[in-house]
């Protein structure tokens, strides 16, 4: 009986101590949370006052380019793809959107990047290195048409926007792609 009473008292004491610690912990975190919320609100307000002209319409650019250069069995490019397939430095990128074919017999790709201010040239250089690596893969005859399309790939930048387009194997002529890029970047 004494052991049961001792265990019950210990449990009661531990519960009381845990409750007090939790109360003081949550009381201390409330001001910090509200300070973060205030900072976030003020930074949101600052971002909202940023001119809309600085934001690149990546969805519109990609849609316009894919209307001319449809991507067969498209796979959306994600952070992993951008870093490990396209070999881009994420610190240079504000936002991006793009699709690449998921068809082994094709090579179509449409990719648009809004580079961080002053980083468009770095993104363009990295995309050129990626293009060169694709074009250098001429070891297998069955990839000759994909290599030829990669050699002719278009990398165009305007302001903070950089675009990479590789025509699909059965895709459009690059003259049509050039026209679409010029229209999309205006």
């Amino acid at each position: 009986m004494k052991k049961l009473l001792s265990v019950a008292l210990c449990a009661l004491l531990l519960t009381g101590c845990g409750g007090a610690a939790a109360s003081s912990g949550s009381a201390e975190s409330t001001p910090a949370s509200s300070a973060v919320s205030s900072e976030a609100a003020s930074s949101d307000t600052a971002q909202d006052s940023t001119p809309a002209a600085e934001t690149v319409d990546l969805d519109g650019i990609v849609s316009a380019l894919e209307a001319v250069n449809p991507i067969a069995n498209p796979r959306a490019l994600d952070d992993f793809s951008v870093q490990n397939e396209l070999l881009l430095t994420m610190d240079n990128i504000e936002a991006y959107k793009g699709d690449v074919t998921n068809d082994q017999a094709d090579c179509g790709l449409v990719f648009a990047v809004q580079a961080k201010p002053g980083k468009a040239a770095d993104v363009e250089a990295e995309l050129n290195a990626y293009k060169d690596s694709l074009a250098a893969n001429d070891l297998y005859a069955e990839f000759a048409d994909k290599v030829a399309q990669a050699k002719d790939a278009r990398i165009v930048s305007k302001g903070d926007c950089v675009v990479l387009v590789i025509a699909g194997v059965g895709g459009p002529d690059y003259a049509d792609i050039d026209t679409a890029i010029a229209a999309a970047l205006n």
Side-chain angles (χ1 to χ4, degrees):
M1 181 71 163
K2 288 182 184 181
K3 287 183 183 180
L4 183 58
L5 185 57
S6 297
V7 171
L9 284 174
C10 285
L12 183 61
L13 286 173
L14 288 175
T15 303
C17 291
S23 297
S24 68
S26 63
E28 290 174 22
S29 66
T30 302
S33 297
S34 62
V36 169
S37 297
S38 299
E39 289 172 10
S42 66
S43 70
D44 287 345
T45 305
Q47 289 176 355
D48 290 343
S49 65
T50 304
E54 291 180 14
T55 301
V56 176
D57 179 15
L58 299 174
D59 290 328
I61 292 169
V62 169
S63 294
L65 295 175
E66 286 185 4
V68 173
N69 184 40
I71 304 299
N73 191 18
R75 173 177 54 92
L77 293 167
D78 58 11
D79 287 353
F80 182 84
S81 301
V82 170
Q83 288 178 302
N84 297 298
E85 292 173 24
L86 300 179
L87 307 173
L88 296 180
T89 304
M90 294 303 286
D91 290 340
N92 295 335
I93 298 173
E94 187 73 35
Y96 66 89
K97 179 158 177 82
D99 294 312
V100 63
T101 185
N102 208 22
D103 183 349
Q104 294 297 318
D106 204 350
C107 60
L109 183 141
V110 171
F111 184 64
V113 176
Q114 179 177 353
K116 290 185 178 175
K119 296 293 185 177
D122 295 338
V123 172
E124 188 174 353
E126 289 175 340
L127 286 175
N128 273 307
Y130 170 71
K131 173 186 165 184
D132 292 345
S133 73
L134 291 176
N137 186 9
D138 59 359
L139 296 176
Y140 302 100
E142 64 266 21
F143 297 134
D145 49 355
K146 292 179 2 179
V147 170
Q149 292 296 66
K151 284 181 181 177
D152 289 336
R154 300 302 196 251
I155 300 171
V156 179
S157 63
K158 181 176 181 184
D160 289 332
C161 185
V162 183
V163 172
L164 165 65
V165 180
I166 301 174
V169 171
D173 185 273
Y174 271 108
D176 295 334
I177 291 173
D178 292 338
T179 302
I181 291 171
L185 293 181
N186 284 331

